[in-house]
Amino acid sequence: MAEDKGKGGSGDRHAVTVEDLLTFPALQLSVLAGADGLRRSVSWAHPSELEDPTPWLLGAEMIMTTGLALPRTADGQRAYLERLDDAGVSALAVSAQLHMPPLHPAFRAAAEERAFPVLEVPLSVPFVAVSQAVSAAVADDAGQRVGAQLQVFGALRWLAAEDLDTRGLFQRLERLSGYDVYLSAPRGGPLLPGVLPAPDPAVLPDRAEDAPPTVPGGFVLPVPGPGGPAGFLVAYERQGARPAGLSVAQHIATVAALRLAMVRSERETARREGAETLAEILQEDLDQDVVRRRLLRHGVDGDCVLLRVRGATDDELLAALAGHPHLLLHRGGDHHVLGAPGLGDTAAALPGVSVGRSRLFPAGAVLRVAQREAAWALTKAVESGRTLVTYGDGDPGRWLPRDPAVLTALVEHVLGAVIAYDAAHDSRLLASARTWLERDRRTDAAAAALHIHPNTLAYRLRRFSEISGRDLTATGVLAEVWLAIQAAQALGLTE
């Protein structure tokens, strides 16, 4: 960003500066205050007798007044000058005599502090002569501006013909327009991938419809979207360039709106395709070669995990995972996410979520076990109040084999009779034993978690021992039962 943008710091925004105007003999201008700002560039000279003309200005104008616009009080004069300077006005030219009130020391002091040139125009020089001189001086800039506009109109053709990505498109528009271009979401974050947001979010307006387009050094313009601005384009003049003006910046904002619509459409298409693919993978409806090809199309390769996320909205999760290859499916009240291991930490950074993460598996593997692992880990995350739990971390489940057939054999051998009895009598013996073991065999705590009387839990534990043939007072038996319960959870056979 050029130093002192919009206030003529570099003097390169237009072909003429305030200092140049002092050298025009026919204008006979003299400096009353603010001589340090003579390098400010001037785009236009315009008479105004309004006390506040700033809503109708674009920046880099020289305002001319006969004195009617100037307040009579010291505070009023200072406030008038500060308003012009804040709006990007290059200089104030006052007519000698006529309606000029005395210029207070506070007014002159403000001009010096802000390096804001205050010039005097003699009565013999009409304001129209000043306007004509400025217009002629900047006329050579017009051809460059028109050419820039015509080339900006071709921006979408570049996208189609040259397959430019978003970053390449806006880099080209920057070179063409003479501005450093930033694109910000309404709250200041990035709007489009590859384009930085505004370095100072304070320049973004609260209400776009009421905001003037100019800021010191450039423009802030809404990027149109359905129902209101989708974000804002911030264009700062680039040092050493010839900025092409407001019209070109407005055209770039329109290009940004069209590109944003394209990106959102592409994302929605990819999201839907990803959701359909993940649903088919989870249901084991696809050949493994087909699975691998589809995953590669979505950028998913190498070691993967399956996440189960609870407590996030679609928009929150999509925004968090943007830029990371993944498949996302919303099903059963939770989100299922397939992708790299780091996605678990990304999702867990969202407020109020619980995330269960499976162990690593190669892309394209059958997800039967991973689904159970992610579901178990999510249950643990919810119960423990932890944001992210990975299956097997710090848990006996890590000692279990990954082969579903081996897990099934273990469950059948240790718990098969109890599972069959529960199914026939709705007795919840297995759930009661699991809850009791999870709470370190504290009967009162387990009974409270199950919402039953401790005597009822004691009865269920006796029945568990009788039906399974395993004495829960023996350490070796407890270890065997606990591992079998973990295997049952991994297979999705417990509540």
Side-chain angles (χ1 to χ4, degrees):
M1 187 190 307
E3 184 181 351
D4 199 20
K5 281 184 167 59
K7 299 184 179 180
S10 62
D12 56 19
R13 178 174 179 176
H14 299 284
V16 64
T17 66
V18 178
E19 189 174 44
D20 293 331
L21 298 180
L22 294 175
T23 67
F24 293 3
L27 300 185
Q28 304 176 52
L29 301 175
S30 59
V31 181
L32 296 180
D36 288 343
L38 295 181
R39 291 297 298 164
R40 294 184 180 217
S41 55
V42 180
S43 64
W44 195 252
H46 184 72
S48 175
E49 302 301 343
L50 296 174
E51 188 170 338
D52 184 9
T54 57
W56 292 272
L57 302 179
L58 293 178
E61 298 92 350
M62 182 169 73
I63 294 299
M64 300 178 290
T65 177
T66 62
L68 292 174
L70 272 170
R72 267 47 184 170
T73 66
D75 289 343
Q77 287 184 2
R78 184 181 183 101
Y80 172 78
L81 183 142
E82 290 174 345
R83 277 196 300 274
L84 296 183
D85 188 37
D86 290 341
V89 171
S90 297
L92 174 67
V94 299
S95 179
Q97 302 171 16
L98 284 183
H99 308 290
M100 280 296 301
L103 297 180
H104 290 276
F107 175 85
R108 296 176 183 269
E112 298 297 341
E113 291 167 11
R114 290 178 168 245
F116 181 84
V118 179
L119 311 179
E120 185 175 66
V121 185
L123 282 175
S124 59
V125 178
F127 282 173
V128 69
V130 179
S131 296
Q132 288 174 342
V134 173
S135 177
V138 299
D140 65 340
D141 218 29
Q144 180 259 343
R145 289 168 180 257
V146 172
Q149 290 186 41
L150 293 174
Q151 291 185 63
V152 169
F153 281 136
L156 297 182
R157 182 176 56 81
W158 302 337
L159 281 172
E162 303 180 36
D163 196 26
L164 284 178
D165 61 11
T166 302
R167 178 178 176 81
L169 170 66
F170 281 89
Q171 284 178 336
R172 185 174 294 187
L173 290 173
E174 284 184 324
R175 293 193 296 271
L176 173 65
S177 67
Y179 293 102
D180 290 325
V181 172
Y182 304 92
L183 290 171
S184 296
R187 295 185 180 180
L191 182 64
L192 277 173
V195 183
L196 293 174
D200 180 12
V203 304
L204 303 180
D206 294 328
R207 292 173 55 85
E209 61 269 25
D210 298 333
T214 56
V215 293
F219 306 103
V220 175
L221 301 167
V223 175
F232 295 93
L233 178 140
V234 181
Y236 289 122
E237 65 177 79
R238 192 166 62 252
Q239 190 170 13
R242 298 180 66 188
L246 176 61
S247 295
V248 167
Q250 288 172 328
H251 294 325
I252 294 175
T254 301
V255 171
L258 294 172
R259 182 57 181 153
L260 181 61
M262 293 169 64
V263 168
R264 286 178 171 174
S265 177
E266 292 166 359
R267 285 177 177 170
E268 179 59 18
T269 300
R271 186 196 67 77
R272 289 181 180 178
E273 290 179 352
E276 292 171 1
T277 295
L278 184 52
E280 291 177 298
I281 293 173
L282 294 177
Q283 294 168 8
E284 301 181 22
D285 290 340
L286 297 177
D287 178 82
Q288 294 309 108
D289 289 336
V290 175
V291 170
R292 281 187 283 271
R293 286 199 299 272
R294 290 199 185 181
L295 291 179
L296 283 173
R297 194 162 65 215
H298 288 274
V300 178
D301 194 16
D303 286 336
C304 300
V305 294
L306 184 67
L307 307 179
R308 190 155 174 174
V309 183
R310 183 171 298 169
T313 67
D314 289 351
D315 289 343
E316 288 173 338
L317 202 51
L318 285 169
L321 300 179
H324 303 284
H326 69 277
L327 303 181
L328 173 65
L329 172 66
H330 192 183
R331 187 172 71 178
D334 295 331
H335 289 90
H336 298 73
V337 182
L338 174 63
L343 294 184
D345 300 288
T346 302
L350 293 170
V353 302
S354 300
V355 182
R357 179 167 54 190
S358 73
R359 292 176 293 183
L360 288 174
F361 56 85
V366 176
L367 299 187
R368 187 181 307 115
V369 174
Q371 288 186 70
R372 292 163 181 158
E373 291 178 352
W376 179 90
L378 176 62
T379 300
K380 287 296 182 184
V382 172
E383 290 178 351
S384 65
R386 293 162 59 189
T387 303
L388 173 64
V389 171
T390 301
Y391 181 85
D393 283 356
D395 190 90
R398 62 182 171 163
W399 302 110
L400 295 173
R402 299 187 62 172
D403 187 341
V406 176
L407 294 177
T408 300
L410 172 62
V411 172
E412 179 61 29
H413 175 66
V414 179
L415 304 174
V418 174
I419 292 173
Y421 185 87
D422 277 345
H425 299 87
D426 193 24
S427 53
R428 304 193 70 220
L429 299 183
L430 180 56
S432 299
R434 175 181 62 81
T435 304
W436 180 66
L437 290 172
E438 286 176 342
R439 282 155 181 78
D440 300 323
R441 292 173 289 166
R442 290 181 287 115
T443 302
D444 289 343
L450 292 166
H451 305 293
I452 60 176
H453 194 277
N455 291 342
T456 303
L457 176 58
Y459 169 77
R460 290 182 180 180
L461 294 175
R462 287 196 301 272
R463 290 293 293 152
F464 180 95
S465 295
E466 293 168 359
I467 294 170
S468 67
R470 283 167 171 77
D471 180 5
L472 294 181
T473 63
T475 301
V477 171
L478 279 176
E480 182 184 43
V481 169
W482 178 239
L483 287 173
I485 288 174
Q486 302 303 302
Q489 287 180 314
L491 294 169
L493 300 177
T494 63
E495 300 175 13

